[in-house]
Amino acid sequence: MQPHLIVFTDLDGTLLDHHSYSWRAASPAMAKLAANGIPLIFNSSKTAAEMRHLQNAMGIRAPFIVENGAAAVIPAGCLGRTEEQVMNFGADHQQVLRTLMVQRKAGAQFRGFSDMADAELAEVAGLDEVEAYRARQRLGTEPLIWQGSDPELDQFSAALEREGLRLVQGGRFWHAMGRFDKAEGARFLLEQYREHYRGEPLVTIALGDSPNDQRMLEAADIPVVIRGVNSDQVQLPSQMHPMRSLKPGPEGWNECVLNLLFEYGY
């Protein structure tokens, strides 16, 4: 029996070009996935609002995993759902904000996305105001600018750890978040698809370009490392037979996905 394929993908630098944020080079493979009813599941640091916008632009309707694994979203009409389902992994956004406010009262100096209006965040992050609005609609993480000293930052991080959160450094911002990673959402959705397909064989494909994607890649049947600035840092066990793209970003994504579809008879 031909297995059902499920594709999990990172976005920035993987399906989306790092510079133009275009997916056009991946269009042939995306069209073939859609034609065969193969779900394309986004799994990235973006928010649900940002992913819905991308899905609409791409003509995709599928579950997705937001904010580096903070939550999985199953839209209405997917996997038999009549209304949207959101599954949080670890603390939700309101819990994170409550913990941050306690630390602020104790003297921590920071400014988070929730403290900013859209216009301010747009200026700080180099976005337009609509993009800033989408970036502020969060389910489980709070990006922030640290305004205190380095020793105070260490104290702040330790205080969050004691409350079951962690502080992770991103490109421009620190991120206060629960204890989760990209693999948890992928495992949750895989179980939903197993139930949906009633035990028929499934093969999972995961594509990513950086160490942040490591756990998601390790959880897949077929890990695909897309060539990028940090892709050499992604080291997977040889027995997993990871595929590595020759081209970067959506060009490499397109070639790898088309090759895999051909291999599985699609």
Side-chain angles (χ1 to χ4, degrees):
M1 180 183 293
Q2 187 181 40
H4 297 284
L5 301 185
I6 303 174
V7 179
F8 296 91
T9 185
D10 175 51
L11 291 174
D12 294 344
T14 301
L15 180 57
L16 302 179
D17 179 83
H18 250 317
H19 305 289
S20 65
Y21 298 105
S22 171
W23 63 88
R24 301 302 178 190
S27 294
M30 292 170 66
K32 198 159 190 176
L33 291 175
N36 286 282
I38 298 170
L40 176 56
I41 298 172
F42 297 164
N43 191 351
S44 90
S45 62
K46 293 187 184 299
T47 66
E50 290 172 314
M51 289 197 187
R52 289 189 190 100
H53 176 70
L54 269 175
Q55 282 192 333
N56 288 338
M58 294 175 175
I60 290 173
R61 189 163 189 78
F64 50 89
I65 302 160
V66 305
E67 299 172 45
N68 287 322
V73 179
I74 304 176
C78 294
L79 289 168
R81 302 307 196 269
T82 56
E83 58 184 40
E84 182 174 276
Q85 178 187 359
V86 178
M87 172 63 72
N88 272 82
F89 305 103
D92 64 24
H93 189 230
Q94 289 304 312
Q95 290 174 292
V96 172
L97 290 182
R98 284 195 292 271
T99 301
L100 288 174
M101 292 309 102
V102 169
Q103 296 307 313
R104 175 172 280 159
K105 289 178 181 177
Q109 301 176 61
F110 61 87
R111 190 159 181 78
F113 277 23
S114 296
D115 299 315
M116 303 181 196
D118 296 338
E120 180 183 355
L121 179 57
E123 184 175 351
V124 169
L127 306 171
D128 64 38
E129 289 194 27
V130 174
E131 291 169 336
Y133 172 79
R134 295 189 194 112
R136 292 177 62 244
Q137 310 308 301
R138 312 198 73 82
L139 292 176
T141 64
E142 177 70 356
L144 54 89
I145 299 170
W146 179 249
Q147 297 172 319
S149 67
D150 287 346
E152 289 169 335
L153 177 62
D154 292 337
Q155 295 170 10
F156 177 57
S157 179
L160 294 183
E161 289 278 351
R162 289 192 293 271
E163 296 299 322
L165 302 182
R166 58 195 180 115
L167 192 65
V168 177
Q169 188 169 19
R172 299 182 183 181
F173 305 99
W174 290 90
H175 297 258
M177 57 197 291
R179 299 183 181 281
F180 46 74
D181 59 47
K182 285 185 169 186
E184 288 184 62
R187 284 191 289 265
F188 168 76
L189 289 177
L190 178 57
E191 286 304 313
Q192 307 307 302
Y193 276 103
R194 284 198 176 112
E195 291 180 17
H196 181 70
Y197 289 128
R198 302 179 185 277
E200 294 177 6
L202 297 178
V203 172
T204 57
I205 300 167
L207 303 99
D209 73 323
S210 73
N212 188 41
D213 302 311
Q214 180 96 22
R215 295 288 299 278
M216 174 183 72
L217 293 167
E218 289 174 346
D221 296 313
I222 303 174
V224 182
V225 182
I226 300 300
R227 183 179 176 185
V229 176
N230 298 312
S231 59
D232 288 345
Q233 297 177 34
V234 181
Q235 297 298 321
L236 297 166
S238 57
Q239 62 267 27
M240 292 192 71
H241 305 292
M243 177 183 288
R244 288 183 178 267
S245 73
L246 297 176
K247 296 178 181 178
E251 289 183 279
W253 193 99
N254 186 65
E255 288 189 352
C256 289
V257 171
L258 286 177
N259 286 338
L260 288 167
L261 289 174
F262 177 78
E263 182 179 334
Y264 281 93
Y266 285 96

